[in-house]
Amino acid sequence: MKHEEVNKEIGGREAKGQRSKRAEKQKGKRINSKIQNAQSPIPSPQSPIPNPQSPVPNLDDWLEIGKIVSPQGLSGELRVYPVSDFPERFEVPGKRWLLRSGDTEPQPIELLTGRYITNKNLYVIKLAGVENCDQAEALRGCTLMVPASDRPQLGEDEYHVLDLIGLEVFMQVSGELVGTVVDIIPAGNDLLEVKLHESLGGDKKQKTVLIPFVEAIAPVVDLKSNRIEITPPPGLLEINN
């Protein structure tokens, strides 16, 4: 599935042996608005100290695509953990936005290059103005974002995370309500985290279940009717003690 998560992007379901694409993650409601920004920032030598009196960031207009986790080498490159399955977010040069700790609005910054590290689910990117390890270290923990209006077009059988969260999940054969989708867990196959209906959850400690979001198990996704129909194999929905 394709993902850029709360603000996630999630795409489709794995089918016929091909991994489906995810979309991106949006924190808040989906609003396509015109974004006005100032000049591209030059990274400061140290991260700003969060101000507890600062306003809460308003991120309704933004999609989170990745988190900077560490410097890569000594030349200012950065390791980024993606929450987007769109490689172009990290590999195609152009404007991106950087949200620093304590800031209320992302600031524009230029992506110069990017490459994927096989088997580590990380990208290594180069940003304009980040020339050494110290400047890269100052960006550790910062979030990379794009405007919510920049949602990529999804293909057939692909979905955005926000379109899936909140859908009710039903057994296709019996019509029994299983629960409500509360999150999407990235994995080899993306997983629907479903909060179990009280008739299934009971007093047990386990209140959620993970359901592979593949066509064989979730053959019906009806956004208009706010429902997903599943045909789980025996034992998938059993509650663990």
Side-chain angles (χ1 to χ4, degrees), residues 99-158:
L99 182 65
R100 299 170 183 268
S101 176
D103 284 1
T104 58
E105 288 289 336
Q107 296 300 314
I109 197 163
E110 196 76 12
L111 174 68
L112 301 179
T113 62
R115 65 185 186 276
Y116 185 68
I117 303 180
T118 306
N119 299 327
K120 290 192 175 181
N121 193 30
L122 288 171
Y123 285 89
V124 172
I125 65 170
K126 179 72 172 175
L127 298 176
V130 185
E131 304 295 340
N132 56 55
C133 186
D134 288 340
Q135 291 178 326
E137 179 63 38
L139 299 183
R140 184 191 293 265
C142 293
T143 302
L144 286 174
M145 311 191 86
V146 294
S149 56
D150 190 27
R151 273 182 157 200
Q153 292 294 318
L154 296 180
E156 183 180 357
D157 204 30
E158 292 184 347

Side-chain angles (χ1 to χ4, degrees), residues 93-212:
K95 185 179 289 187
R96 305 295 188 272
W97 281 260
L98 187 71
L99 182 65
R100 299 170 183 268
S101 176
D103 284 1
T104 58
E105 288 289 336
Q107 296 300 314
I109 197 163
E110 196 76 12
L111 174 68
L112 301 179
T113 62
R115 65 185 186 276
Y116 185 68
I117 303 180
T118 306
N119 299 327
K120 290 192 175 181
N121 193 30
L122 288 171
Y123 285 89
V124 172
I125 65 170
K126 179 72 172 175
L127 298 176
V130 185
E131 304 295 340
N132 56 55
C133 186
D134 288 340
Q135 291 178 326
E137 179 63 38
L139 299 183
R140 184 191 293 265
C142 293
T143 302
L144 286 174
M145 311 191 86
V146 294
S149 56
D150 190 27
R151 273 182 157 200
Q153 292 294 318
L154 296 180
E156 183 180 357
D157 204 30
E158 292 184 347
Y159 308 90
H160 286 280
V161 163
L162 284 187
D163 294 336
L164 296 176
I165 292 177
L167 295 188
E168 292 184 321
V169 178
F170 295 86
M171 298 290 287
Q172 186 176 53
V173 175
S174 67
E176 179 183 7
L177 175 62
V178 175
T180 304
V181 178
V182 294
D183 201 0
I184 310 296
I185 309 299
N189 297 324
D190 286 328
L191 303 172
L192 301 174
E193 183 179 3
V194 177
K195 182 179 179 181
L196 294 170
H197 186 262
E198 58 185 13
S199 63
L200 293 176
D203 295 329
K204 304 291 186 180
K205 291 183 179 180
Q206 183 174 341
K207 299 298 184 181
T208 63
V209 67
L210 298 179
I211 300 174

Side-chain angles (χ1 to χ4, degrees), residues 207-240:
K207 299 298 184 181
T208 63
V209 67
L210 298 179
I211 300 174
F213 191 49
V214 296
E215 189 167 7
I217 296 176
V220 175
V221 179
D222 189 340
L223 299 181
K224 291 183 179 179
S225 298
N226 194 46
R227 68 186 285 136
I228 295 175
E229 296 178 8
I230 62 172
T231 56
L236 181 64
L237 300 182
E238 287 181 0
I239 307 303
N240 298 321

